[in-house]
């Protein structure tokens, strides 16, 4: 087959700028082949090289005594004691999900699961963070249904419980939905597998499903804005098979137990090209591939297609040659491909052969390590204009508006499509705060949460970034967990626009400060840029996934409210309404500043909650919707009414940070008041749980009426 000529149009279609192409010419001293151009495009696109974000990502805190492995591997690893560790990461599949919702979301789940079991961990929990456009936008319903079915279809068939997440709607996502997938797994600390190749002349082995043409150029597509040619990008979306992935996981974990694995890498973005280069580069070795040996499911595949295919359910491994027979037997037993497709070499070369013809011959370390790194111009986000007067509103009317919104209504319609009980270790299912999973065979529990409030980040990127970490910290604390570490998914628009880059920089600063103050280092993550359509970008959405440890099940805070419980509010209330849920849903305004995040107060108040968990029957943090929404959610979950003493709008709906709502008996409430004085923590009784009505100040309504709105609001909006 005749390869196309290297023209300026072809270079541009590969997402490479003229300057970047000149850099390629300098590196190899000649015009690249078509396959080489594709490899450079894959390795140097934003999705794989982080060329616009590396400078700022390096400023994040990534270390701590609990951290075994920070960013740079397939997933982060944190020690949980007793020779065990939790392996976790969050990644985006935004562009593919907008083009092909079911497969885009499904393969996002598949990819993040492979990141976890590639490290030697068995997945035990999944979450997702989904952002869609307005409910009445013509594409939103299709996207919601397709994405939710894709997440459930893959995760349920694979057999991992989905234990938490979030769903939001905003016009800024009309042209670019966000699908962020999280997975966590368990491993023994002495049985972790890494991706760095070692040894010269070692076999490079292809594992899993066959290679097809699906997803060719997917990583490059994910590093560009959308325009009116979006439908033409459908072939760049991968197709997933969860049953093959399940077999791949079992075969991989069994293979690891044989001692045959030197190094192993998931074939994710940019497929075979990226996985082979990364393994060689991390080990300081070269790699030679023979593509005619790659298992293929389509006829007459070219070298270009095989190198850049993002077909799913595939791995690449460097093998101990003396154990080849044992390794092959494992994969044949699971009816999966096992093919030696190359070897490690001493030279610094990435040599790609196809039927004895050289298709690529590149300096491997330079290919991997010389991707452009940009210090993009950025401008600080202007200070938010002061909040104009917010009218007083009847508290129950305000609560009704929140409960009817798909942003704050129950997400039951979504999470009931996910299997949250498979593996039989789920302690707390989605719907109220952090998800909780038992560490099988022990008394330990792990808690998981995902948090961000994009309105805050747009108004004040630094404070909004800090708030996302702080809310994750509070969600974990509310169930009695000690926060361990975080993973971030940085979703932003076009970084070539200084105002967008300014949002990114501000958010990174806020996230970094909060992670340091709250001892929650970033151990893994993902950056997704160019989330724009026809020049209109999404809200800045730096999603924070966080993991916490409960050392003994007796320390779990996970009760429900009972009649007679006292309602205690921990933290200071000033009535901050800027960028609040009330402002957005009732008054259709997004003005004012994000709430201030006092990190010292967050740490102090969180320490107080964990130190006194024996006195706390029920706990939730206060975030969107303030006290009114938090109190209603506890009341609804326990089927007990609630009376809040103060019905003033700022008091009920203010979104001041570092606050928790506690429900407990009168005797425990008295003891908590005393303990709070010793901790110098503000605490106040704000009402009680009783009866079958919700009463806030002088306004009230039956709990059953409000619960009906809450339970049907999402389905009413989305259908």
């Amino acid at each position: 087959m005749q390869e196309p000529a290297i023209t300026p149009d072809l270079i541009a279609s590969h997402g490479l700028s003229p300057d970047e192409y000149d850099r390629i010419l300098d590196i190899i001293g000649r015009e690249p082949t078509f396959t080489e151009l594709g490899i450079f495009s894959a390795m140097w696109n934003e999705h794989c090289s982080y060329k616009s974000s590396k400078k700022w990502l390096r400023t994040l805190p990534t270390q701590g005594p609990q951290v075994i492995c920070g960013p740079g591997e397939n997933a982060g690893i944190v020690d949980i004691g007793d020779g065990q560790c939790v392996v976790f990461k969050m990644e985006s599949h935004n562009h593919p999900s907008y083009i092909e919702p079911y497969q885009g979301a499904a393969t996002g789940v598949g990819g993040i699961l492979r990141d976890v079991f590639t490290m030697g961990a068995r997945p035990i929990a999944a979450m997702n963070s989904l952002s869609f456009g307005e409910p009445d936008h013509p594409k939103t319903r299709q996207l919601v249904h397709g994405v939710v079915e894709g997440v459930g279809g893959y995760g349920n068939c694979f057999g991992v419980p989905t234990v938490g997440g979030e769903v939001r709607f905003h016009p800024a996502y009309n042209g670019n939905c966000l699908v962020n997938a999280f997975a966590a797994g368990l491993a023994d600390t002495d049985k972790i597998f890494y991706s760095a190749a070692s040894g010269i002349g070692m076999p490079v082995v292809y594992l899993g499903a066959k290679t097809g043409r699906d997803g060719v150029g997917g990583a490059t597509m994910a590093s560009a804005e959308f325009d009116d040619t979006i439908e033409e990008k459908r072939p760049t979306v991968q197709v997933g098979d969860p049953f093959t992935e399940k077999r791949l996981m079992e075969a991989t974990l069994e293979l690891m137990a044989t001692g045959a694995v030197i190094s192993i890498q998931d074939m994710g973005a940019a497929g075979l090209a990226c996985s082979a280069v990364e393994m060689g580069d991390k080990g300081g070795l070269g790699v030679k591939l023979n593509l005619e040996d790659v298992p293929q499911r389509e006829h007459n595949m070219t070298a270009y297609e095989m190198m850049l295919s993002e077909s799913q359910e595939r791995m690449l491994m460097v093998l101990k040659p003396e154990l080849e027979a044992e390794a092959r037997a494992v994969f044949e037993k699971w009816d999966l491909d096992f093919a030696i497709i190359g070897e490690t070499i001493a030279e610094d070369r990435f040599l790609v052969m196809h039927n004895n013809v050289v298709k690529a011959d590149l300096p491997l370390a330079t290919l991997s390590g010389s991707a452009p790194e940009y210090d993009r111009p950025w401008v600080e986000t202007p200070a938010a204009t002061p909040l104009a007067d917010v009218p007083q509103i009847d508290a129950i009317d305000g609560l009704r508006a929140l409960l009817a919104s798909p942003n704050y209504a129950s997400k039951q319609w979504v999470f009931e499509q996910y299997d949250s009980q498979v593996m039989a270790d789920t302690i707390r299912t989605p719907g109220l705060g952090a998800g909780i999973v038992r560490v099988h065979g022990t008394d330990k529990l792990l808690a998981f949460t995902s948090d961000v409030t994009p309105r805050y980040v747009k108004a004040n990127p630094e404070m909004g970034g800090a708030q996302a970490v702080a809310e994750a910290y509070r969600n974990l604390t509310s169930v009695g967990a000690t926060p361990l570490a975080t993973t971030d998914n940085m979703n932003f628009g076009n970084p070539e626009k200084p105002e967008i880059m300014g949002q990114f920089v501000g958010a990174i600063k806020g996230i970094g400060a909060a992670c340091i103050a709250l001892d929650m280092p970033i151990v893994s993550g993902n950056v997704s840029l160019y989330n724009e359509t026809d020049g209109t970008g999404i809200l800045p959405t730096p999603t924070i996934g966080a993991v916490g440890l409960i050392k003994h099940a007796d320390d779990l805070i996970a009760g429900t409210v009972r009649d007679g419980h006292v309602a205690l509010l921990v933290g200071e209330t000033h009535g901050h309404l800027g960028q609040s849920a009330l402002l957005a849903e009732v008054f259709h305004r997004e003005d004012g500043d994000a709430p201030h995040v006092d990190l010292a107060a967050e740490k102090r108040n969180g320490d107080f909650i964990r130190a006194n968990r024996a006195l706390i029957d029920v706990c939730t943090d206060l975030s969107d919707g303030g006290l009114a929404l938090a109190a209603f959610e506890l009341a609804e979950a326990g089927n007990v009414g609630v009376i809040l003493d103060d019905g003033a709008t700022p008091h009920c709906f203010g979104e001041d940070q570092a606050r928790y709502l506690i429900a407990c008996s009168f005797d425990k409430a008295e003891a908590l008041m005393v303990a709070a004085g010793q901790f110098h923590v503000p605490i106040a009784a704000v009402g009680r749980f009783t009866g079958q009505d919700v009463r806030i100040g002088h306004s009230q309504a039956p709990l059953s009426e409000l619960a009906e709105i809450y339970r049907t609001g999402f389905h009413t909006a989305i259908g």
Side-chain angles (χ1 to χ4, degrees), residues 56 111 262 563 667 700:
W56 297 102
I262 294 174
D563 199 314
D667 289 347
Q700 71 179 66

Side-chain angles (χ1 to χ4, degrees), residues 36-56:
E36 288 173 336
L37 184 73
I39 292 170
F40 271 107
S41 167
M43 294 301 299
W44 285 11
N45 67 56
E46 198 73 60
H47 197 71
C48 294
S49 74
Y50 297 97
K51 58 191 176 186
S52 295
S53 56
K54 267 192 286 197
K55 170 187 163 97
W56 297 102

Side-chain angles (χ1 to χ4, degrees), residues 195-198 263 274-287 318 344 348-349 364-365 368:
S195 59
S198 65
S263 64
C274 192
S275 55
V277 171
E278 285 189 358
M279 289 177 81
D281 182 52
K282 288 177 182 175
L285 294 168
V287 173
V318 176
T344 58
D348 176 24
R349 289 175 79 189
L364 189 144
S368 177

Side-chain angles (χ1 to χ4, degrees), residues 51-96:
K51 58 191 176 186
S52 295
S53 56
K54 267 192 286 197
K55 170 187 163 97
W56 297 102
L57 296 176
R58 290 192 191 101
T59 67
L60 289 170
T62 60
Q63 296 179 323
Q66 71 273 44
V67 178
I68 294 173
C69 175
E73 276 291 339
N74 288 291
I77 308 177
V78 175
D79 197 330
I80 60 169
D82 307 308
Q84 293 179 300
C85 56
V86 58
V87 180
F88 64 97
K89 189 182 183 183
M90 180 176 268
E91 275 208 341
S92 60
H93 232 223
N94 304 335
H95 285 56

Side-chain angles (χ1 to χ4, degrees), residues 450-467:
S450 167
D451 297 286
V452 67
T453 306
R455 287 191 315 275
Y456 293 172
V457 187
K458 184 180 181 184
N460 187 330
E462 191 163 346
M463 207 53 67
Q467 191 277 339

Side-chain angles (χ1 to χ4, degrees), residues 219-342:
T220 300
M221 175 272 293
S223 303
E225 294 182 27
F226 285 147
D227 54 28
D228 56 10
T229 65
I230 183 173
E231 289 300 320
E232 299 171 13
K233 297 180 172 68
R234 195 174 298 275
T236 62
V237 178
Q238 311 91 331
V239 178
D241 178 354
F243 298 107
T244 298
E245 177 116 334
K246 175 69 171 174
R247 287 185 289 124
L248 178 62
M249 178 191 72
E250 297 296 351
T252 300
L253 295 178
E254 189 175 330
L255 175 70
M256 289 168 169
T258 68
V261 178
I262 294 174
S263 64
I264 190 162
Q265 173 77 34
D266 160 42
M267 278 197 234
L272 184 54
C274 192
S275 55
V277 171
E278 285 189 358
M279 289 177 81
D281 182 52
K282 288 177 182 175
L285 294 168
V287 173
K288 177 185 177 183
L289 299 179
N290 299 306
L291 296 186
E292 63 272 15
D293 296 326
V294 170
Q296 300 159 52
R297 68 165 185 260
E298 299 186 46
H299 294 299
N300 301 318
M301 289 193 70
T302 66
Y304 179 95
E305 290 169 333
M306 282 186 273
M307 292 305 297
L308 299 187
S309 167
E310 292 183 9
S311 293
Q312 297 293 285
E313 294 88 41
R314 302 180 303 157
M315 316 275 268
L316 198 64
M317 173 182 71
V318 176
L319 170 77
K320 292 179 182 175
E322 66 274 16
L323 293 175
E324 179 191 334
E326 291 93 326
R328 186 182 296 276
V330 169
F331 270 72
E332 287 178 350
K333 182 184 82 170
W334 287 99
D335 194 24
L336 292 164
D337 277 298
F338 178 102
I340 295 176
I341 64 166

